[in-house]
Amino acid sequence: KGHHLFQSLLCLTLERVKSMFYHAYNNYLENAFPYDELRPLTCDGQDTWGRYCADLRFSVLTLWILGNVSEFQRVVNVLQEGVDFDIDVNASVFETNIRVVGGLLSAHLLSKRAGVEVEAGWPCSGPLLRMAEEVARKLLPAFWTPTGMPYGTVNLLHGVNPGETPVTCTAGVGTFIVEFATLSHLTGDPVFEDVARKALKALWKNRSEIGLVGNHIDVAAAKWVAQDAGIGAGVDSYFEYLVKGAILLQDEELMSMFLSEKNYTKFDDWYLWVQMYKGTVSMPVFQSLEAYWPGLQSLIGDIDHAMRTFLNYYTVWKQFGGLPEFYNIPQGYTVEKREGYPLRPELIESAMYLYRATRNPTLLELGRDAVESIEKISKVDCGFATIKDLRDHRLDNRMESFFLAETVKYLYLLFDPDNFIHNNGSNFDVVLTPYGECILGAGGYIFNTEAHPIDPAALHCCRKRKEEQDGETQKDSAETTSEDNGGGMNSEKNRKRRIPLLSCSSQPFNSKLAVLGQVFLDNT
Amino acid sequence: RHIGPSASPVDRAKDVTMPAKLPVNFFSSGSPVTDFFQGQLDYAERIRQDSEVTFYFFYAPWCGQSITVREEIEQVARRLSDQVLFVAINCWWNQGKCRKQKHFFYFPVIYLYHRRFGPIEYKGPMNAAYIEKFVRRVMTPLLYISSRSKLLEFLSDYEPGVLGYFEFNASPQPPGYLTFFTSALHSLKKDYLGTIHFGVITNQQIAKEIPLTHSGSIYLHRHVNTSLIYPREVMNYTAENICKWALENREAFIHWLRPHGGKSLLLNNELKKGPALLLFIPFNPLAESYPLLDEITKVALEYNRCNKNQATEPAVPHLKETDSSPLESRMPDVHTPLAETFSITKYPCCNTVVLPQWYSISRTHNVCELCVNQTVGVKQSKVNLPQCNFLEIEAALDSFYLKEHTFFQVVSNTIECSNFLSYYSPFSYYTACCRTINRGLMSFISSEKTFFQTPKAAFSSHAKKCKVDTHSIPHIEDRNCLIPGSHIGGTNITGLSCRTNKTLNLYLLDSNLSWIYAERLGASQAIHTKEFAAIVDLQDEAHYIMDQNQALIKSTLGKVFSGAPITGG
């Protein structure tokens, strides 16, 4: 009986999330298209991306996750009609990658499943993929620096401007591997993955003696300009892409880079900002953006710490009905001029990941709180407005594009346990590519930092067969020789001894009782 | 993530902002709850003056938990609004008085006032029954003990009881009474589950039964240890002190665990104290009586009764003499001499086990000597038997298979031993000593002996769960097998907690609130009665669950303590 009640509650909330999406989406189409963003208080649109129809483009995958195939098809066709990227516009290398390249790649990979007509070479070719490649090539000049770390801004027509500042934030250097490696694997051109990898490694090599990276770096001189080390703004997606890159590419090196990052910044399950060389606390602040961290920890199987930190963050939500951009931990209050909540997705994102891992009802509670808060506080006639100040819930005339692209998407996925995105490999599609048969849609989707899902299986579809075969035969022969030499038992033993970096460790015994707020201390 | 400032358009509409929506009614107009949705705390304080008991519900209109609890509050208010003033205050709206004066970190917050005493914050489960119970406790913090039978009822409660004796014949209010009354309210602040009961006796005859002779004396009733009288000469007679004294000296052999949902180390702290027996029972805080709880209390009392002399000594000596006392029935039969069963004996009972072969390449076998070690026998007669009990060795073997992966690593010629158990027993454990021998020797052994297969019927639950029977069943060497007759089948558990070093702590959980923990421990969802028992041993990383088809009654509980039929997990 209780189970039944729970199910219907889940469905009810799911419907609320859905109607939330359409309230915002329809209002965008009616009042703001073809501008980039909807302005919910004045019921009009504004350009934040140079009229790229940002809301439409970035939310197209949410449509698909919500199951609205026909609208998805319509939008994809509109988007395929092409945008001219040969324009004299200065663009953020980072933002263009995660939103435009990531969005195009994701739509490209998922379009067949949604019934969009694809061309013969798909997934190794297609209009959206070509657009993604075109945009990514426009970004490449930014990477031509002495260190390999990219400039923050590039002109889409002229490349890097002569007077461009070489100072970039850490995330702006290390947030390319997911999109660029996918691009390289699909197109066969290794240049994208190579530059992304080089930039990541350059960052990692420049970490301090105590193993921390700072906030901003001079990409020409490899000098840290801002030396605050933390997990939030300016750094966040660098960590995220080490982990997601490692999983996507099954790359142990990236994972060991992530694991070697030392945690001098942790205090009572909070993460503080510290000076990157000394490890002294510089800012005892929790940032709204940091709330992605528990979700990231869940990806490497560190559920226990993830939940503990998540519960801390959740208390902040309960205090204000949202997460302020900055929250002073010792004072227990917002920080001057950082009181806003632009309906960011991060805490909900973490809840979604952790719910997959634990089925802890507390995570659904956060989801319910988020639905209530957003509806009660920020819903207006023309959409959902950014909360300008969490202390009094004053609203701003803005609805950021990540609300539709991410926040609603993660909320929906939290309450929809049967969504195809949660596929555990029990079903899949077989696709015939120029390189042979290929399995797609088996699950394990990697979300880029803008919540565009990438099917990791697709990365293995477009490799030349010969290359793959060669690789496999080499592996096979290596295994046979070791068995011949040492006997079955020995090779078995060797395999066990190696620490499998890319597999999750088994959960501790007490994890079964770590639900509904109960946490357990380390058994050390 | 979102780092770069996106291009901002030069437009006046950019600066348009909108103040938060004006607050509206949170409770419907017909509700028995007075709703100050504009946060008029001053007004609320004023109307509180006319009420004996006031219930404050501070909410934030956007808060999911406030919205969920709203219905529960209405339900309680409908039942009690004639005696209690129910007030809801929007403590979020920044123009309201409440927001300006109070600084809450979460919502909702529930405060109770008894006249001028308060606030008493309610932190218990947010459902109507628990909230109502707590409100009733605030309404009547002292139970009036008017008769002998009331006294017996009060003392037989499993929760700690504090009694005060006050003579009301002289002045309108005897000295110290108000302090005692306040201490009862005070205890509700610290002990929001209301586990300590406070009672007052006004009749000299009834007071003598305890015995209390002086008006103003206060008594803390304990079941196992000696009861206490408040030491007025040592501690000042204040409400705080009385409450503190009761909290510190109360007996707690049963703990309710009611996780509140927020981040908490409750289970961590309790389970790290040692192996814990978690009993899940459906609990209605408003029920008149708790037969199941009484049964559990009896068992727990017996288990904790360590000192024989003390045990026979009645908690209330005067009452003991009158034969029809209900207290009598609560006394366990402790006259059977316990000392004789204390003899610690060891009689190992061993069998040889050959592990199944997983690797056909391997030319060796792992052979284990599996022993059942008895440390303490309860029944003297059985202890004298040097042979193995058939069932025991089967059980040992069965659990050995469950743990057999532990022994696969053994590939050396040295003998390695390991102690383990599959069901929780304070009396016995198994030892397995394993070593590797080559196949030639093995085949000799196997041709020599008679073999039989594990009788699957007896331990079907193990076999099914762990798929032992799909493995090649290893051969065992049988020896001196007896007819079934367990030496641990008895339920004499009196004082057992002191006789073993594997003492169990007993915890109760309300299945209506905490069933998820039962499910996590393996409770079946198909079972309709939400009753479940499990032993959790955090240190050994093991848990054992009781067969859910057995009702939770005294006899089965007794077995749980002495380690009978519980499935390893």
Side-chain angles (χ1 to χ4, degrees):
Chain A
K1 196 178 168 189
H3 191 68
H4 196 73
L5 202 74
F6 172 77
Q7 284 294 336
S8 64
L9 214 75
L10 219 64
C11 278
L12 220 68
T13 321
L14 201 62
E15 284 308 309
R16 284 177 73 181
V17 177
K18 223 178 204 174
S19 61
M20 214 160 151
F21 174 81
Y22 286 114
H23 176 64
Y25 183 75
N26 293 337
N27 265 296
Y28 166 77
L29 288 183
E30 275 168 37
N31 302 306
F33 184 77
Y35 287 98
D36 283 336
E37 271 183 27
L38 170 72
R39 282 194 300 203
L41 299 185
T42 47
C43 290
D44 55 6
Q46 67 173 340
D47 282 335
T48 47
W49 279 88
R51 197 149 309 174
Y52 182 63
C53 313
D55 267 351
L56 187 67
R57 284 172 192 277
F58 302 155
S59 60
V60 60
L61 292 153
T62 311
L63 275 174
W64 187 61
I65 281 169
L66 262 61
N68 191 340
V69 174
S70 58
E71 181 67 6
F72 176 82
Q73 290 171 353
R74 186 186 79 82
V75 176
V76 166
N77 284 327
V78 170
L79 299 184
Q80 279 181 5
E81 275 159 23
V83 194
D84 187 12
F85 291 106
D86 280 321
I87 42 171
D88 186 5
V89 163
N90 294 331
S92 156
V93 181
F94 166 87
E95 298 278 352
T96 309
N97 174 53
I98 63 169
R99 299 192 193 217
V100 183
V101 179
L104 288 167
L105 282 174
S106 187
H108 164 72
L109 287 175
L110 300 175
S111 56
K112 184 165 195 235
R113 199 188 168 98
V116 176
E117 195 97 356
V118 294
E119 58 184 58
W122 187 90
C124 312
S125 71
L128 294 172
L129 177 62
R130 282 189 290 276
M131 272 165 79
E133 187 181 352
E134 188 196 342
V135 178
R137 285 205 189 278
K138 299 264 177 202
L139 303 180
L140 285 180
F143 289 84
W144 301 336
T145 63
T147 59
M149 294 189 277
Y151 280 99
T153 308
V154 72
N155 186 290
L156 294 184
L157 196 61
H158 308 297
V160 178
N161 291 322
E164 187 59 47
T165 171
V167 176
T168 311
C169 70
T170 304
V173 174
T175 314
F176 295 93
I177 190 76
V178 170
E179 295 83 2
F180 277 27
T182 306
L183 205 49
S184 280
H185 278 74
L186 293 180
T187 60
D189 185 347
V191 66
F192 303 106
E193 184 174 343
D194 289 347
V195 296
R197 245 179 223 282
K198 203 177 163 207
L200 266 181
K201 279 190 189 159
L203 262 187
W204 189 69
K205 276 193 192 122
N206 280 296
R207 70 197 191 282
S208 71
E209 274 170 16
I210 58 173
L212 297 175
V213 293
N215 207 285
H216 282 77
I217 194 163
D218 182 326
V219 297
K223 286 259 167 358
W224 292 100
V225 179
Q227 302 185 344
D228 285 321
I231 58 166
V235 192
D236 47 9
S237 47
Y238 159 61
F239 291 127
E240 183 186 348
Y241 272 37
L242 283 179
V243 172
K244 288 183 174 173
I247 297 170
L248 183 71
L249 303 166
Q250 289 296 296
D251 187 316
E252 294 201 346
E253 192 187 4
L254 292 178
M255 188 58 85
S256 60
M257 277 160 73
F258 174 76
L259 295 174
S260 74
E261 292 289 343
K262 294 285 175 294
N263 259 323
Y264 286 93
T265 59
K266 200 169 174 189
F267 174 76
D268 192 21
D269 302 328
W270 293 101
Y271 289 83
L272 311 177
W273 289 82
V274 302
Q275 213 285 337
M276 65 175 286
Y277 292 104
K278 298 177 207 145
T280 49
V281 175
S282 59
M283 212 171 36
V285 156
F286 157 59
Q287 301 179 347
S288 180
L289 285 173
E290 293 169 9
Y292 77 102
W293 188 257
L296 193 65
Q297 283 177 302
S298 82
L299 287 184
I300 62 165
D302 195 357
I303 310 289
D304 171 39
H305 287 109
M307 259 331 277
R308 279 157 59 179
T309 299
F310 177 88
L311 290 166
N312 282 12
Y313 296 169
Y314 190 12
T315 62
V316 180
W317 183 288
K318 287 189 170 178
Q319 193 179 344
F320 297 103
L323 292 185
E325 293 289 39
F326 281 32
Y327 178 82
N328 187 306
I329 297 160
Q331 284 174 8
Y333 212 66
T334 56
V335 173
E336 179 88 33
K337 296 222 162 68
R338 302 287 188 152
E339 301 96 348
Y341 175 57
L343 312 181
R344 288 195 187 282
E346 281 77 10
L347 191 63
I348 299 161
E349 174 188 351
S350 281
M352 191 274 286
Y353 282 115
L354 280 167
Y355 187 69
R356 303 305 308 164
T358 65
R359 304 289 155 139
N360 187 340
T362 303
L363 300 156
L364 296 181
E365 253 169 58
L366 176 272
R368 180 214 49 195
D369 285 359
V371 171
E372 292 289 357
S373 274
I374 293 171
E375 278 193 352
K376 290 255 157 45
I377 301 165
S378 75
K379 185 174 182 180
V380 291
D381 289 346
C382 285
F384 293 89
T386 283
I387 302 169
K388 190 181 177 62
D389 190 336
L390 272 177
R391 294 170 303 177
D392 61 5
H393 289 174
R394 170 172 288 274
L395 299 178
D396 213 347
N397 192 15
R398 208 167 167 199
M399 186 178 82
E400 300 242 25
S401 63
F402 51 72
F403 176 68
L404 283 180
E406 299 187 67
T407 312
V408 177
K409 191 186 289 168
Y410 285 128
L411 259 181
Y412 194 84
L413 287 175
L414 171 65
F415 287 105
D416 186 12
D418 302 324
N419 201 284
F420 76 93
I421 280 281
H422 301 315
N423 187 358
N424 58 8
S426 49
N427 57 67
F428 50 85
D429 303 323
V430 181
V431 182
L432 197 67
T433 75
Y435 307 100
E437 266 194 359
C438 185
I439 287 171
L440 285 176
Y445 295 92
I446 305 283
F447 285 91
N448 89 334
T449 192
E450 206 50 30
H452 300 309
I454 302 281
D455 187 342
L459 270 67
H460 304 282
C461 287
C462 306
R463 243 193 288 170
K464 294 202 172 51
R465 257 193 144 178
K466 192 171 170 295
E467 194 184 298
E468 207 162 334
Q469 275 175 343
D470 284 348
E472 268 170 23
T473 25
Q474 263 179 13
K475 249 193 216 162
D476 283 352
S477 62
E479 267 174 25
T480 357
T481 29
S482 79
E483 249 165 36
D484 285 347
N485 291 340
M489 287 298 260
N490 269 341
S491 79
E492 188 73 22
K493 250 178 125 183
N494 287 341
R495 226 172 287 162
K496 269 184 188 164
R497 268 188 203 156
R498 214 181 61 198
I499 304 151
L501 271 179
L502 291 170
S503 58
C504 290
S505 57
S506 66
Q507 294 302 307
F509 173 75
N510 55 35
S511 68
K512 46 173 132 274
L513 293 172
V515 282
L516 287 180
Q518 292 303 310
V519 297
F520 288 85
L521 296 179
D522 300 335
N523 301 313
T524 44
Chain B
R1 312 282 141 212
H2 322 283
I3 48 160
S6 31
S8 47
V10 189
D11 190 340
R12 241 171 258 151
K14 182 181 164 274
D15 301 322
V16 170
T17 65
M18 194 172 93
K21 285 165 234 173
L22 288 177
V24 292
N25 263 314
F26 193 66
F27 285 85
S28 61
S29 52
S31 166
V33 181
T34 315
D35 183 4
F36 292 105
F37 61 88
Q38 289 172 317
Q40 305 100 306
L41 183 65
D42 49 340
Y43 204 73
E45 292 285 311
R46 217 174 307 143
I47 64 168
R48 178 164 76 79
Q49 307 307 319
D50 307 326
S51 176
E52 184 168 323
V53 178
T54 311
F55 181 99
Y56 273 171
F57 177 67
F58 298 103
Y59 65 87
W62 46 262
C63 156
Q65 179 82 348
S66 297
I67 293 165
T68 318
V69 178
R70 175 171 57 190
E71 286 159 40
E72 309 285 323
I73 303 295
E74 286 220 305
Q75 218 174 308
V76 180
R78 272 198 292 274
R79 290 167 61 106
L80 295 175
S81 59
D82 53 331
Q83 299 158 77
V84 176
L85 173 66
F86 282 86
V87 176
I89 305 165
N90 176 348
C91 213
W92 175 258
W93 194 47
N94 68 322
Q95 305 293 313
K97 279 255 163 42
C98 186
R99 177 70 187 276
K100 285 175 179 155
Q101 288 177 26
K102 303 233 179 264
H103 181 65
F104 291 131
F105 283 90
Y106 55 90
F107 296 95
V109 174
I110 292 174
Y111 278 0
L112 283 135
Y113 288 89
H114 189 115
R115 293 224 177 265
R116 276 158 59 202
F117 186 90
I120 303 166
E121 187 177 353
Y122 174 72
K123 292 176 184 164
M126 287 292 176
N127 76 33
Y130 275 92
I131 296 170
E132 181 179 337
K133 176 78 179 179
F134 193 78
V135 176
R136 286 184 185 277
R137 284 294 294 277
V138 175
M139 289 160 67
T140 329
L142 288 185
L143 209 66
Y144 176 46
I145 310 293
S146 55
S147 65
R148 203 173 154 279
S149 64
K150 281 247 174 76
L151 176 64
L152 290 171
E153 202 182 306
F154 185 87
L155 294 180
S156 69
D157 200 295
Y158 69 97
E159 287 179 322
V162 175
L163 280 173
Y165 165 49
F166 294 93
E167 270 174 19
F168 272 83
N169 36 14
S171 59
Q173 206 173 64
Y177 174 71
L178 198 64
T179 310
F180 183 61
F181 185 88
T182 314
S183 79
L185 282 174
H186 211 85
S187 82
L188 291 172
K189 268 185 164 183
K190 299 227 161 69
D191 169 34
Y192 57 82
L193 298 171
T195 46
I196 304 186
H197 296 260
F198 283 75
V200 62
I201 300 170
T202 55
N203 181 310
Q204 200 184 348
Q205 289 306 311
I206 298 171
K208 264 187 188 160
E209 304 257 17
I210 292 180
L212 294 174
T213 44
H214 300 292
S215 176
S217 43
I218 296 169
Y219 165 87
L220 172 66
H221 180 65
R222 301 202 290 188
H223 293 283
V224 176
N225 297 301
T226 357
S227 299
L228 300 173
I229 304 274
Y230 184 74
R232 300 182 68 152
E233 60 287 354
V234 188
M235 291 171 89
N236 281 338
Y237 196 82
T238 64
E240 282 91 347
N241 279 350
I242 293 169
C243 172
K244 205 175 138 220
W245 167 78
L247 278 169
E248 278 170 6
N249 294 296
R250 70 175 155 173
E251 220 166 44
F253 46 89
I254 299 186
H255 296 269
W256 273 102
L257 296 180
R258 292 197 182 93
H260 51 66
K263 189 179 182 182
S264 142
L265 284 168
L266 179 71
L267 289 181
N268 176 75
N269 294 342
E270 294 301 331
L271 296 181
K272 282 194 176 159
K273 288 176 183 168
L277 171 59
L278 305 179
L279 292 178
F280 295 82
I281 57 167
F283 182 75
N284 173 11
L286 298 171
E288 293 276 312
S289 64
Y290 303 97
L292 180 57
L293 206 52
D294 292 342
E295 292 273 307
I296 293 169
T297 314
K298 277 180 204 164
V299 179
L301 266 173
E302 286 175 40
Y303 183 65
N304 283 282
R305 216 179 282 282
C306 292
N307 188 316
K308 182 188 147 208
N309 298 329
Q310 194 189 317
T312 39
E313 189 181 296
V316 186
H318 293 257
L319 294 172
K320 177 77 177 157
E321 285 152 21
T322 47
D323 43 36
S324 65
S325 160
L327 277 182
E328 183 91 50
S329 64
R330 271 188 45 255
M331 291 298 158
D333 187 14
V334 288
H335 300 285
T336 33
L338 296 171
E340 289 166 31
T341 65
F342 276 175
S343 56
I344 291 174
T345 46
K346 277 193 176 181
Y347 72 106
C349 142
C350 299
N351 268 285
T352 308
V353 181
V354 183
L355 289 181
Q357 288 308 295
W358 299 98
Y359 314 108
S360 49
I361 325 143
S362 167
R363 295 217 179 80
T364 55
H365 277 283
N366 289 335
V367 176
C368 299
E369 181 92 331
L370 178 64
C371 301
V372 180
N373 290 289
Q374 311 287 344
T375 48
V376 181
V378 168
K379 287 189 181 165
Q380 190 79 15
S381 57
K382 286 281 179 356
V383 173
N384 294 334
L385 293 172
Q387 298 99 335
C388 284
N389 176 313
F390 174 81
L391 275 187
E392 279 164 23
I393 200 70
E394 286 307 324
L397 197 64
D398 226 40
S399 59
F400 178 72
Y401 296 155
L402 295 181
K403 307 250 171 174
E404 66 191 344
H405 60 273
T406 325
F407 303 97
F408 279 146
Q409 265 66 352
V410 186
V411 278
S412 65
N413 278 320
T414 56
I415 299 175
E416 293 187 26
C417 296
S418 169
N419 294 333
F420 63 98
L421 31 82
S422 79
Y423 64 86
Y424 186 87
S425 165
F427 303 117
S428 63
Y429 59 93
Y430 308 137
T431 313
C433 298
C434 301
R435 67 172 159 174
T436 308
I437 56 171
N438 66 43
R439 207 174 245 181
L441 177 58
M442 200 42 235
S443 54
F444 167 71
I445 295 175
S446 49
S447 62
E448 271 282 292
K449 300 288 175 183
T450 329
F451 302 108
F452 62 91
Q453 291 216 323
T454 318
K456 286 169 201 163
F459 291 89
S460 56
S461 64
H462 287 254
K464 270 179 207 148
K465 267 193 190 140
C466 307
K467 297 193 172 67
V468 181
D469 48 356
T470 60
H471 299 167
S472 55
I473 297 288
H475 298 126
I476 58 165
E477 190 187 346
D478 82 320
R479 182 207 287 180
N480 292 332
C481 285
L482 293 179
I483 41 159
S486 175
H487 70 291
I488 51 172
T491 52
N492 187 354
I493 59 150
T494 308
L496 185 57
S497 78
C498 320
R499 280 185 284 141
T500 80
N501 58 0
K502 280 201 263 177
T503 308
L504 278 178
N505 299 314
L506 177 61
Y507 298 97
L508 292 173
L509 292 99
D510 182 352
S511 355
N512 298 327
L513 304 171
S514 308
W515 188 244
I516 188 168
Y517 297 103
E519 282 178 4
R520 296 278 166 134
L521 290 169
S524 147
Q525 286 184 332
I527 297 290
H528 289 291
T529 54
K530 279 190 163 180
E531 290 172 9
F532 181 70
I535 293 173
V536 176
D537 190 339
L538 217 53
Q539 205 187 350
D540 283 1
E541 303 207 333
H543 82 276
Y544 313 86
I545 64 176
M546 195 164 110
D547 185 354
Q548 266 180 282
N549 295 317
Q550 295 192 37
L552 268 186
I553 48 164
K554 193 182 164 193
S555 59
T556 45
L557 278 174
K559 282 184 200 156
V560 170
F561 278 112
S562 52
I566 284 198
T567 312

